[in-house]
Amino acid sequence: MRRPAFLSPDPDSPFPPADAALRQPDGLLAVGGDLSPQRLLNAYRHGIFPWYSEGQPILWWTPDPRMVFRTEGVRLSSRFRRELRRSTWQIGADTAFGSVIKACAGTPRPGQDGTWITDDMRAAYLELHRLGHAHSVEVFDVDPSGESRLVGGIYGVAIGRMFFGESMYSGESGGSKVALAALAFRLREWGWPLIDAQVENPHLSSLGAESWPRSAFLENIDLLTGLPEAPGNWSQRFGIIEAAALAEVRSD
């Protein structure tokens, strides 16, 4: 019986090739190692991400097929667009990373009991955020007095011109969809063509995610992660997007 590889304690040690991943459970490639910035960035560059529960060792995955959004392909229903036209929500980036990842930690992942964002995971991505590699997109409900309340968000890792989505959440209905649509809109403007969505599920498919063979995904990210983009905070670069404006953005 094939078993996943055990990683060396050296954070710079290489991962096994993707075709060494198990078929059952799909995509399990390796066990162990750590969540240091160099290990995490190396993993994402090779289409690998950590996903495990409290009490488990660190598990590293590269599923086949892979769920991927084209940034011009995020779909919002006609009904949801009508609702957005009346929305007072505003979307920014990297102003509340800690709050977004905390909220995502309370959102169950399909097929897994309890949270998969452990305290160690949160600490690791907060460090990546501090270093300018991890980013959040936040959706705020802004009242007439100017007070704002976080109602949705998404976070992930950016390398080159590739964004690897990790998790999203809705504090109010539609919050995560607005965060995703705003992220895709801005990345499309910047010339970033793809968002990694990791594992297949019907909700992502309904929003336009596509199921790609792992080989095609890896070929694309090998190119995109090598393109020059400096890490750093996205708050000013991303700016503010009015949710109502997203109602007029059409997918291709």
Side-chain angles (χ1 to χ4, degrees):
M1 178 184 297
R2 290 179 62 190
R3 296 182 182 275
F6 283 86
L7 295 181
S8 160
D10 178 2
D12 293 315
S13 62
F15 283 89
D19 58 11
L22 304 186
R23 297 304 305 174
Q24 290 294 331
D26 178 40
L28 180 58
L29 178 68
V31 177
D34 61 9
L35 297 174
S36 63
Q38 57 264 50
R39 177 100 65 180
L40 284 169
L41 293 174
N42 184 37
Y44 284 104
R45 286 189 186 97
H46 292 89
I48 301 162
F49 58 88
W51 178 17
Y52 65 102
S53 297
E54 197 72 55
Q56 291 182 321
I58 302 172
L59 304 177
W60 301 90
W61 303 79
T62 178
D64 188 12
R66 188 73 165 233
M67 210 64 165
V68 183
F69 283 102
R70 291 176 295 110
T71 53
E72 76 272 19
V74 173
R75 294 196 301 262
L76 300 177
S77 69
S78 297
R79 178 179 178 182
F80 190 65
R81 289 177 186 277
R82 288 195 297 271
E83 295 173 359
L84 279 184
R85 292 187 179 99
R86 302 188 298 271
S87 176
T88 60
W89 291 357
Q90 295 180 345
I91 307 98
D94 284 350
T95 65
F97 186 91
S99 297
V100 169
I101 195 171
K102 181 179 179 180
C104 288
T107 302
R109 192 163 186 162
Q112 186 164 349
D113 295 331
T115 183
W116 60 276
I117 304 176
T118 65
D119 289 345
D120 287 346
M121 288 273 276
R122 284 172 63 180
Y125 286 92
L126 283 165
E127 177 63 7
L128 278 186
H129 175 64
R130 187 187 70 81
L131 295 171
H133 300 293
H135 304 280
S136 60
V137 171
E138 307 100 15
V139 184
F140 292 98
D141 184 17
V142 182
D143 67 25
S145 70
E147 292 293 317
S148 61
R149 180 170 52 89
L150 189 66
V151 296
I154 186 171
Y155 79 94
V157 175
I159 303 175
R161 294 187 186 177
M162 180 68 202
F163 190 87
F164 299 89
E166 268 298 312
S167 187
M168 58 185 183
Y169 91 100
S170 290
E172 290 191 8
S173 178
S176 63
K177 287 192 286 189
V178 169
L180 173 65
L183 172 65
F185 173 73
R186 197 58 95 210
L187 292 181
R188 183 179 181 180
E189 285 190 331
W190 296 348
W192 298 38
L194 302 177
I195 299 171
D196 174 30
Q198 297 186 347
V199 180
E200 287 188 290
N201 74 62
H203 176 62
L204 296 179
S205 295
S206 73
L207 295 173
E210 303 170 356
S211 181
W212 285 22
R214 182 172 58 209
S215 58
F217 174 74
L218 294 178
E219 182 178 347
N220 276 267
I221 69 168
D222 183 57
L223 170 65
L224 294 171
T225 59
L227 295 177
E229 285 284 348
N233 188 286
W234 278 4
S235 180
Q236 290 189 348
R237 183 182 185 189
F238 193 94
I240 299 296
I241 299 173
E242 301 288 339
L246 295 174
E248 312 309 322
V249 178
R250 299 296 172 178
S251 61
D252 295 340

